[in-house]
Structures are given as structure tokens and as C-alpha cells.
Amino acid sequence: MASNDVTAVEGETAWATDQLALAAAMTALLKDHAGLGIRLKEVPFDWTSGMHRLTGSFHYITFADGVPTVQEFVEYLYDCLIPYCLPKSKVRDALQGIDPVLDYHRIVRLGDDAKSLFIKAKNQLESGGEPGELILYALLEWVLKAPRLVSKMYLKTNSNMPVHGTDGIHLGYDEAKDVLTIYFGESKIYQSFSSAADAAFTSMAELLANAGQISREIEILNNLSDLNSLDPAFRAKIADYINPYSTSKLTLQKRIVHACLLGFEYAAYNRILDLEPDKVASAFEEKYKKRIGSACRVIERHYGKRLPVTTNLHLFLLPFPSLKIFRAAFYEKLGVAA
């Protein structure tokens, strides 16, 4: 083999190794969400809209003995407060060299800090402190394997650093294609699906029409994110992907996806609860699949009329038996009034 061929092979091998290492580093930033698969179930649905930039994931709260496990879902969300609310560096520093017997107070204080931030957001911000943002965070990490790189809750509640815009910023990396995805999160939980969809598309359309706001979101990712949790070499590579002023070819290998959670109250839950317990879940799924189909048609109409055709959008759909009961349970767990 000629020397230039050897060099080419070695270069390709190093490139592939680097991609795998970056993928592993990104995966290491994810919280272990295995437990979420017990609380939410995904319903397979073939969404053939013809709109190639439109994708979706469709979930519902699981049943136990024929009853929706709302309280258990709330408990899971509560356990996500620390990784959602606090920067990874703050958590890492607090737990560095910890002895669980002698230093348990440091763990308690982390929980207190996260809880206080969430409550502060609920009390002070027009948009914030909603469990929907917490659900969106968990779904992005669990379903799309995209770690949270910006603690929007932490930034929003910092009086010296007012931050608006998206409900979250996550990063995903496809090592096979060597493509970095920036996810801008949007969470809307309303009584009706139509209201949630309308509010979400209004918000996304406003963001897309505001180039300055999108630039600020990218700037936050560059300067105020948890990228310092990565090895310096990987930080530098990600900077090449997302830095708009970089001359690296990697800037051509990124995309932005708007990840939108639509939560709504779904009356079908109440219509099946008098069935035999072991038949409830299958009966619910049959009804829900039809609702998914009608919801997707609404999303297609909104998308076609209100967003540029080049917009990448991933929809998360999640129905609730009762939003009043869900919110009351969540805020009771926090120790505050709904």
C-alpha cells in the first residue's frame, strides 16, 4: 500500500475514532432516564405527512391496575429537579469527593437549591416554573438522547442575567453522519390540544422571525452552557460546529430542531376506567391512536401556514387525565400552592 493510501486510512480511522469518542462524551452528559420508560409509554405511529422536516413521538402516562399512574409520574419529575434546574458544574462541585455518610448535607442542599429555583420561577416569571418544561427536558434526553446543555431555569431566575426565548437548549450528536443538532425546546400544556398547538406555533413563529433572539440563544450555548463539562478537545470541536464565526467546515454539519411538547387534557381516560383493569391500557391505546392522527393533521396545517418550510420540528404529544389533578399533585410535592 502506498504511503499516501496509508495516511488516508489512518486519517479516516482517527476521524471515526474521534466521532465515537465525541458521541460517548455527549452520552455521558445524559441523566439515566430508564425509569421514565415505566411512567410513560410510546405509541408507535406512522406519521406520513410528506413534510420531511416534521417528526413526532407520542406518549401517554402508563396504567397500573387500570388506573393512570399520575402520582408516580409526578414523583419521577420531582427526581429530575436537580439535573434540570442546576448547572452540571454546580452539581459536580458539590458532589466532588463526597462521603455519603459525612457529607449528606451537601446532597440535601442541592435538592433545596433546585426546588427553590423552580418555586422562584413559578412565582416571578410569566413563563417558568411549569412542570411541562421539566417533562420536555426528560423527553429530549430520554427519547432523542440529547443532553441538556443550558440550565434555562438557572439563568432565568438570575436577576443579573435576564434570559427569555426558548424553554430549553439541548445538543444531540449523530456520529454516523457527523452532524450536531441544536434543540430549542418549547413546552405548552393547555386544557385543550388546539389551544396548546396554537400557543406553541405562535411562540415558534415569533422566535423564527427574530434572528436576534436566535443569535442570543446560540450565544448562551457558547458562553453560558454546561459545555465545560466536556473534555477540552470536545469543547473545541463543538465550538467549531456552533460558532457562527468559525471558518471550520464543521459549521456546515449542524442543524437546528424545534422540539415542542404539547400536553392536553384527554377525556378518553375517563371513558375507559370502568373496564376490566387488564383491558384498560389496550382500549386507551386504540382511542389514542385515532387522536394522534387527528392531532397530526392539525400540526401539519399549523406547520404549513405558520413556519418556514425549512423548519425542523419534532413534536412530543402527551395527554393527561386531568391537568388540575396533575398540577395539584406536582406543586403539592414541591410544597407550594398550584
Side-chain angles (χ1 to χ4, degrees), residues 84-106:
Y84 171 67
C85 291
L86 302 180
K88 287 180 172 60
S89 57
K90 182 179 178 70
V91 176
R92 183 186 63 240
D93 292 346
L95 300 181
Q96 187 73 32
I98 192 171
D99 182 326
V101 176
L102 300 177
D103 303 321
Y104 63 88
H105 61 281
R106 289 158 67 181

Side-chain angles (χ1 to χ4, degrees), residues 1 10 55 77 103 107 115 120 129 141 143 154 190 200 208 258 297 316 318 320-321 325 327 335:
M1 182 181 293
E10 289 176 346
T55 57
L77 294 177
D103 303 321
I107 301 174
K115 181 175 166 182
K120 183 178 179 181
E141 291 213 336
V143 177
Y154 189 78
Y190 282 59
L208 286 165
H258 297 265
R297 289 190 290 274
F316 291 111
L318 183 62
F320 291 84
I325 291 175
R327 284 194 171 106

Side-chain angles (χ1 to χ4, degrees), residues 101-308:
V101 176
L102 300 177
D103 303 321
Y104 63 88
H105 61 281
R106 289 158 67 181
I107 301 174
V108 173
R109 286 175 184 168
L110 276 178
D112 288 345
D113 287 348
K115 181 175 166 182
S116 295
L117 278 176
F118 208 92
I119 294 171
K120 183 178 179 181
K122 177 184 183 298
N123 293 337
Q124 295 185 4
L125 301 176
E126 182 178 334
S127 174
E130 270 287 326
E133 298 171 16
L134 198 53
I135 297 170
L136 177 61
Y137 148 77
L139 287 172
L140 274 162
E141 291 213 336
W142 179 48
V143 177
L144 299 183
K145 308 304 179 190
R148 177 197 61 72
L149 265 296
V150 174
S151 175
K152 274 301 188 80
M153 185 66 67
Y154 189 78
L155 297 180
K156 286 179 180 180
T157 53
N158 186 332
S159 59
N160 297 319
M161 199 177 297
V163 177
H164 305 287
T166 64
D167 289 332
I169 304 178
H170 291 234
L171 284 186
Y173 179 67
D174 184 339
E175 69 270 21
K177 297 179 180 179
D178 193 21
V179 171
L180 191 82
T181 299
I182 303 170
Y183 291 98
F184 289 152
E186 188 71 46
S187 169
K188 300 296 181 186
I189 296 184
Y190 282 59
Q191 199 74 20
S192 71
F193 168 77
S194 59
S195 296
D198 182 64
F201 276 89
T202 296
S203 183
M204 286 186 288
E206 289 175 352
L207 177 65
L208 286 165
N210 188 342
Q213 182 60 49
I214 292 177
S215 295
R216 282 190 287 275
E217 298 290 316
I218 299 296
E219 184 180 355
I220 288 170
L221 182 56
N222 271 302
N223 299 310
L224 301 172
S225 71
D226 281 321
L227 286 175
N228 58 2
S229 300
L230 289 170
D231 179 272
F234 295 139
R235 284 208 307 272
K237 185 172 183 180
I238 289 178
D240 277 340
Y241 283 102
I242 64 179
N243 186 345
Y245 305 108
S246 172
T247 57
S248 168
K249 67 176 183 179
L250 292 179
T251 60
L252 304 177
Q253 293 165 227
K254 71 171 183 293
R255 62 180 188 140
I256 292 175
V257 174
H258 297 265
C260 179
L261 167 65
L262 298 184
F264 61 101
E265 197 161 294
Y266 188 38
Y269 277 104
N270 297 322
R271 300 193 191 111
I272 57 160
L273 294 181
D274 59 349
L275 297 176
E276 295 177 39
D278 60 351
K279 295 181 179 179
V280 166
S282 58
F284 177 84
E285 283 197 26
E286 185 177 347
K287 293 179 180 295
Y288 184 37
K289 285 179 181 178
K290 295 178 182 178
R291 187 66 184 93
I292 291 172
S294 62
C296 286
R297 289 190 290 274
V298 171
I299 295 301
E300 291 165 17
R301 288 196 294 272
H302 276 295
Y303 180 92
K305 292 178 180 179
R306 304 175 69 177
L307 301 184

